[in-house]
């Protein structure tokens, strides 16, 4: 869905742009990195949002009414406002693809452009990438905890606004959900829409059985009944079985039941027994209601007889970690054909940034084909064989690989303002994530206390960083 989001920015981006323009430094080239820091139990993230980043960059322009509004703020130079009338992105943008597994502190998106442009796009890029990557990552964790059972995204009514619902649904598909209840997302992104009926349908009839019969009459070949409106085991499941028998007698195959409240492990086991004894062994039990990866782990431990999960609030809001915390940091300034790597200093080691124009490699073990480490290197730096990987801060920790495969993760998306990358269909991004997941050892994908995946600096980048630190 293409639209002009140019004015979706923070005011200080525009005041800095005005400053660069008035100061005469606006044509200097700058390099900015997007990365996220480690949070809680989240060892990895699933990249998402690149398609919307492309739409944003391609539609970047100030309309006349935008410039007039900015003029009314009385904060901007007239020459700058005139410059904005022809403003377009003319730089380079590199990114990991959607569905890529990425790790803390490594650059997942790099912008190299005139500083006035590179500065401006910060807010929107972070807004898009932070949100979709967060939801894709949460979906990935939930799907992993479901242990092979399907997960459907059910969160639209609890999402923090229409865009969060629409693009959260999209991100959840990248993260591994098999479908969504969101009809607009289904239409926009060509993904499966799922849903049956709510408690209000049942309550609008004189009896639960009458409600079930009415629904079955309308949808005889897609009959999945919500059984917990009154009493799941005493009323809902027995009434569903009655209707299923009536459908079967007419040559139709009922789909199953949905449980939306109560002790899902206990209820699903009891309901499964009742359905099986009635001859409906092939019907499914769909469970929903405040589910996340932690609930799913407990359901698995307790032997729940569920087949499909509908996950809403805790997925679409990423309730236990409501922000990814991705940042956008300047790493290099270029002026008069000279390059000046820069970095942010801090008393907190995790907030010290990596300087220079960088790229990102994933190193795979030759024998197993599994990912061994990621290496942040300076752009143009060649990887030697054998390759010695060294921990960024604990330099005595080294590993030497004699035989390995290296893959560049950052791909060119825009060059000189021109789009050079074709965003694949969403289904391809889903398949990509599935394939890449298989290339990581299970210990890195644990939901609790995962083994920390190695993200190291190349020797040249490490030396550059230390040189800048020593010059403080």
């Amino acid at each position: 869905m293409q639209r002009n989001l140019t004015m979706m920015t923070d005011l200080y981006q525009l005041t800095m742009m005005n400053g660069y323009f008035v100061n005469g430094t606006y044509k200097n080239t700058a390099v900015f990195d997007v990365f996220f820091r480690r949070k809680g139990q989240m060892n990895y993230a699933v990249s998402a949002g690149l398609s919307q980043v492309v739409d944003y960059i391609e539609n970047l322009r100030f309309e006349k009414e935008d410039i007039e509004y900015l003029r009314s703020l009385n904060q901007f130079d007239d020459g700058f406002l005139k410059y904005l009338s022809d403003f377009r992105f003319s730089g380079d943008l590199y990114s990991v693809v959607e569905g890529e597994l990425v790790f803390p502190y490594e650059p997942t998106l790099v912008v190299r452009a005139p500083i006035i442009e590179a500065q401006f796009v910060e807010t929107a890029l972070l807004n898009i990438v932070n949100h979709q990557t967060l939801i894709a990552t949460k979906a990935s964790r939930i799907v992993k905890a479901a242990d092979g059972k399907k997960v459907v995204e059910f969160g639209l009514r609890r999402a923090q606004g229409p865009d969060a619902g629409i693009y959260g649904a999209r991100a959840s598909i990248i993260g591994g959900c098999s479908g969504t209840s969101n009809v607009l997302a289904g239409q926009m992104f060509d993904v499966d829409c799922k849903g049956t009926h709510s408690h209000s349908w049942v309550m609008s009839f004189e009896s639960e059985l009458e409600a079930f019969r009415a629904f079955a009459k309308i949808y005889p070949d897609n009959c999945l009944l919500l059984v917990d409106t009154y009493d799941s085991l005493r009323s809902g499941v027995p009434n569903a079985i009655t209707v299923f028998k009536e459908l079967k007698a007419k040559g139709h195959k009922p789909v199953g039941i949905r449980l939306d409240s109560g002790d899902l492990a206990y209820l699903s086991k009891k309901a499964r027994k009742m359905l099986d004894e009635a001859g409906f062994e092939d019907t499914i039990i769909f469970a929903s209601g405040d589910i996340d990866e932690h609930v799913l782990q407990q359901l698995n431990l307790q032997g729940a007889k569920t087949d499909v999960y509908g996950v809403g609030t805790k997925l679409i809001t990423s309730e236990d970690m409501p922000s990814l915390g991705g940042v956008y940091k300047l790493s290099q300034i270029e002026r008069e054909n000279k390059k000046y790597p820069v970095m942010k200093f801090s008393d907190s080691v995790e907030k010290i940034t990596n300087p220079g124009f960088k790229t990102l490699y994933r190193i795979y073990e030759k024998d197993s084909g599994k990912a061994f480490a990621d290496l942040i290197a300076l752009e143009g730096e060649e990887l030697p064989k054998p390759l010695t990987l060294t921990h960024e801060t604990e330099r005595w920790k080294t590993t030497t690989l004699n035989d390995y495969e290296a893959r560049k993760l950052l791909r060119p998306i825009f060059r000189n303002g021109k789009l050079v990358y074709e965003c694949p269909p969403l289904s391809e991004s889903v398949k990509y994530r599935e394939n890449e997941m298989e290339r990581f050892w299970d210990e890195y994908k644990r939901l609790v206390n995962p083994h920390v995946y190695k993200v190291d600096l190349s020797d040249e980048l490490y030396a550059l960083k230390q040189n800048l630190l020593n010059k403080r």
Side-chain angles (χ1 to χ4, degrees), residues 107-128:
T108 59
L109 187 149
V110 174
V111 174
R112 181 178 179 271
I115 193 167
I116 198 168
E117 300 173 20
Q119 185 73 68
F120 178 68
V121 299
E122 173 185 5
T123 299
L125 294 189
L126 287 179
N127 175 274
I128 294 166

mmCIF file of all heavy atoms in Angstrom, residues 107-128:
data_model
loop_
_atom_site.group_PDB
_atom_site.id
_atom_site.type_symbol
_atom_site.label_atom_id
_atom_site.label_comp_id
_atom_site.label_asym_id
_atom_site.label_seq_id
_atom_site.Cartn_x
_atom_site.Cartn_y
_atom_site.Cartn_z
ATOM 1 N N PRO A 107 24.698 -4.460 12.355
ATOM 2 C CA PRO A 107 23.930 -3.581 11.473
ATOM 3 C C PRO A 107 22.990 -4.395 10.587
ATOM 4 O O PRO A 107 23.419 -5.284 9.855
ATOM 5 C CB PRO A 107 25.011 -2.883 10.641
ATOM 6 C CG PRO A 107 26.182 -3.814 10.668
ATOM 7 C CD PRO A 107 26.133 -4.500 12.000
ATOM 8 N N THR A 108 21.717 -4.068 10.668
ATOM 9 C CA THR A 108 20.723 -4.773 9.852
ATOM 10 C C THR A 108 20.208 -3.904 8.712
ATOM 11 O O THR A 108 19.574 -4.405 7.792
ATOM 12 C CB THR A 108 19.539 -5.223 10.716
ATOM 13 O OG1 THR A 108 18.935 -4.082 11.331
ATOM 14 C CG2 THR A 108 20.006 -6.191 11.794
ATOM 15 N N LEU A 109 20.473 -2.612 8.796
ATOM 16 C CA LEU A 109 20.135 -1.672 7.721
ATOM 17 C C LEU A 109 21.167 -0.554 7.772
ATOM 18 O O LEU A 109 21.481 -0.048 8.857
ATOM 19 C CB LEU A 109 18.715 -1.137 7.906
ATOM 20 C CG LEU A 109 18.121 -0.273 6.792
ATOM 21 C CD1 LEU A 109 16.600 -0.463 6.724
ATOM 22 C CD2 LEU A 109 18.428 1.196 7.001
ATOM 23 N N VAL A 110 21.705 -0.185 6.616
ATOM 24 C CA VAL A 110 22.731 0.849 6.528
ATOM 25 C C VAL A 110 22.309 1.869 5.484
ATOM 26 O O VAL A 110 21.929 1.505 4.369
ATOM 27 C CB VAL A 110 24.108 0.251 6.164
ATOM 28 C CG1 VAL A 110 25.137 1.358 5.937
ATOM 29 C CG2 VAL A 110 24.585 -0.705 7.253
ATOM 30 N N VAL A 111 22.369 3.148 5.855
ATOM 31 C CA VAL A 111 22.066 4.248 4.933
ATOM 32 C C VAL A 111 23.347 5.031 4.681
ATOM 33 O O VAL A 111 24.051 5.414 5.622
ATOM 34 C CB VAL A 111 20.991 5.187 5.521
ATOM 35 C CG1 VAL A 111 20.790 6.407 4.624
ATOM 36 C CG2 VAL A 111 19.672 4.443 5.699
ATOM 37 N N ARG A 112 23.648 5.239 3.409
ATOM 38 C CA ARG A 112 24.779 6.088 3.019
ATOM 39 C C ARG A 112 24.240 7.116 2.038
ATOM 40 O O ARG A 112 23.847 6.769 0.917
ATOM 41 C CB ARG A 112 25.900 5.270 2.390
ATOM 42 C CG ARG A 112 27.121 6.109 1.989
ATOM 43 C CD ARG A 112 28.235 5.222 1.416
ATOM 44 N NE ARG A 112 29.394 6.018 1.015
ATOM 45 C CZ ARG A 112 29.545 6.565 -0.200
ATOM 46 N NH1 ARG A 112 28.605 6.384 -1.125
ATOM 47 N NH2 ARG A 112 30.611 7.278 -0.484
ATOM 48 N N ALA A 113 24.198 8.369 2.453
ATOM 49 C CA ALA A 113 23.546 9.403 1.658
ATOM 50 C C ALA A 113 24.010 10.771 2.123
ATOM 51 O O ALA A 113 24.634 10.890 3.191
ATOM 52 C CB ALA A 113 22.023 9.291 1.809
ATOM 53 N N PRO A 114 23.717 11.833 1.350
ATOM 54 C CA PRO A 114 23.957 13.178 1.878
ATOM 55 C C PRO A 114 23.334 13.305 3.259
ATOM 56 O O PRO A 114 22.214 12.832 3.489
ATOM 57 C CB PRO A 114 23.265 14.085 0.855
ATOM 58 C CG PRO A 114 23.332 13.313 -0.427
ATOM 59 C CD PRO A 114 23.166 11.871 -0.022
ATOM 60 N N ILE A 115 24.052 13.911 4.184
ATOM 61 C CA ILE A 115 23.632 13.867 5.588
ATOM 62 C C ILE A 115 22.231 14.440 5.794
ATOM 63 O O ILE A 115 21.487 13.981 6.669
ATOM 64 C CB ILE A 115 24.658 14.574 6.497
ATOM 65 C CG1 ILE A 115 24.367 14.235 7.969
ATOM 66 C CG2 ILE A 115 24.697 16.069 6.236
ATOM 67 C CD1 ILE A 115 25.479 14.622 8.926
ATOM 68 N N ILE A 116 21.841 15.388 4.981
ATOM 69 C CA ILE A 116 20.519 15.980 5.135
ATOM 70 C C ILE A 116 19.424 14.950 4.843
ATOM 71 O O ILE A 116 18.346 14.982 5.433
ATOM 72 C CB ILE A 116 20.371 17.231 4.221
ATOM 73 C CG1 ILE A 116 19.194 18.087 4.696
ATOM 74 C CG2 ILE A 116 20.258 16.847 2.749
ATOM 75 C CD1 ILE A 116 19.158 19.471 4.052
ATOM 76 N N GLU A 117 19.709 14.008 3.936
ATOM 77 C CA GLU A 117 18.760 12.939 3.612
ATOM 78 C C GLU A 117 18.855 11.800 4.628
ATOM 79 O O GLU A 117 17.835 11.281 5.096
ATOM 80 C CB GLU A 117 19.023 12.397 2.206
ATOM 81 C CG GLU A 117 18.903 13.421 1.102
ATOM 82 C CD GLU A 117 19.350 12.870 -0.249
ATOM 83 O OE1 GLU A 117 19.388 11.628 -0.405
ATOM 84 O OE2 GLU A 117 19.682 13.678 -1.147
ATOM 85 N N ALA A 118 20.086 11.398 4.928
ATOM 86 C CA ALA A 118 20.290 10.278 5.848
ATOM 87 C C ALA A 118 19.743 10.598 7.229
ATOM 88 O O ALA A 118 19.187 9.722 7.913
ATOM 89 C CB ALA A 118 21.774 9.933 5.930
ATOM 90 N N GLN A 119 19.890 11.856 7.648
ATOM 91 C CA GLN A 119 19.340 12.260 8.939
ATOM 92 C C GLN A 119 17.825 12.196 8.940
ATOM 93 O O GLN A 119 17.192 11.717 9.885
ATOM 94 C CB GLN A 119 19.788 13.684 9.273
ATOM 95 C CG GLN A 119 19.369 14.171 10.648
ATOM 96 C CD GLN A 119 20.176 13.523 11.743
ATOM 97 O OE1 GLN A 119 21.371 13.776 11.873
ATOM 98 N NE2 GLN A 119 19.550 12.668 12.539
ATOM 99 N N PHE A 120 17.227 12.651 7.862
ATOM 100 C CA PHE A 120 15.771 12.781 7.817
ATOM 101 C C PHE A 120 15.046 11.438 7.915
ATOM 102 O O PHE A 120 14.010 11.323 8.548
ATOM 103 C CB PHE A 120 15.340 13.502 6.540
ATOM 104 C CG PHE A 120 13.854 13.627 6.426
ATOM 105 C CD1 PHE A 120 13.145 14.454 7.293
ATOM 106 C CD2 PHE A 120 13.146 12.897 5.479
ATOM 107 C CE1 PHE A 120 11.762 14.556 7.207
ATOM 108 C CE2 PHE A 120 11.769 13.001 5.386
ATOM 109 C CZ PHE A 120 11.073 13.832 6.251
ATOM 110 N N VAL A 121 15.564 10.399 7.275
ATOM 111 C CA VAL A 121 14.818 9.136 7.187
ATOM 112 C C VAL A 121 14.870 8.323 8.484
ATOM 113 O O VAL A 121 14.189 7.286 8.594
ATOM 114 C CB VAL A 121 15.310 8.269 6.000
ATOM 115 C CG1 VAL A 121 15.097 9.002 4.687
ATOM 116 C CG2 VAL A 121 16.778 7.870 6.163
ATOM 117 N N GLU A 122 15.644 8.766 9.460
ATOM 118 C CA GLU A 122 15.815 7.985 10.698
ATOM 119 C C GLU A 122 14.486 7.590 11.345
ATOM 120 O O GLU A 122 14.239 6.408 11.627
ATOM 121 C CB GLU A 122 16.636 8.781 11.714
ATOM 122 C CG GLU A 122 16.702 8.109 13.087
ATOM 123 C CD GLU A 122 17.418 8.952 14.135
ATOM 124 O OE1 GLU A 122 17.791 10.097 13.851
ATOM 125 O OE2 GLU A 122 17.591 8.434 15.254
ATOM 126 N N THR A 123 13.637 8.563 11.603
ATOM 127 C CA THR A 123 12.432 8.293 12.385
ATOM 128 C C THR A 123 11.539 7.266 11.716
ATOM 129 O O THR A 123 11.086 6.306 12.351
ATOM 130 C CB THR A 123 11.650 9.604 12.620
ATOM 131 O OG1 THR A 123 12.480 10.513 13.363
ATOM 132 C CG2 THR A 123 10.373 9.339 13.394
ATOM 133 N N ALA A 124 11.272 7.455 10.435
ATOM 134 C CA ALA A 124 10.367 6.541 9.736
ATOM 135 C C ALA A 124 10.964 5.140 9.612
ATOM 136 O O ALA A 124 10.260 4.143 9.801
ATOM 137 C CB ALA A 124 10.024 7.097 8.355
ATOM 138 N N LEU A 125 12.252 5.061 9.306
ATOM 139 C CA LEU A 125 12.876 3.737 9.186
ATOM 140 C C LEU A 125 12.796 2.975 10.503
ATOM 141 O O LEU A 125 12.470 1.779 10.524
ATOM 142 C CB LEU A 125 14.337 3.874 8.744
ATOM 143 C CG LEU A 125 14.601 4.436 7.347
ATOM 144 C CD1 LEU A 125 16.071 4.282 6.994
ATOM 145 C CD2 LEU A 125 13.734 3.774 6.294
ATOM 146 N N LEU A 126 13.092 3.650 11.602
ATOM 147 C CA LEU A 126 13.013 2.978 12.899
ATOM 148 C C LEU A 126 11.575 2.596 13.231
ATOM 149 O O LEU A 126 11.326 1.510 13.773
ATOM 150 C CB LEU A 126 13.597 3.871 13.995
ATOM 151 C CG LEU A 126 15.120 4.015 13.998
ATOM 152 C CD1 LEU A 126 15.559 4.946 15.111
ATOM 153 C CD2 LEU A 126 15.803 2.659 14.148
ATOM 154 N N ASN A 127 10.635 3.481 12.935
ATOM 155 C CA ASN A 127 9.231 3.175 13.200
ATOM 156 C C ASN A 127 8.805 1.908 12.473
ATOM 157 O O ASN A 127 8.170 1.008 13.053
ATOM 158 C CB ASN A 127 8.371 4.361 12.769
ATOM 159 C CG ASN A 127 6.885 4.088 12.900
ATOM 160 O OD1 ASN A 127 6.280 3.530 11.989
ATOM 161 N ND2 ASN A 127 6.293 4.486 14.007
ATOM 162 N N ILE A 128 9.151 1.797 11.206
ATOM 163 C CA ILE A 128 8.729 0.655 10.387
ATOM 164 C C ILE A 128 9.442 -0.622 10.810
ATOM 165 O O ILE A 128 8.817 -1.654 11.067
ATOM 166 C CB ILE A 128 8.988 0.956 8.898
ATOM 167 C CG1 ILE A 128 8.088 2.100 8.414
ATOM 168 C CG2 ILE A 128 8.763 -0.294 8.049
ATOM 169 C CD1 ILE A 128 8.499 2.675 7.071
#
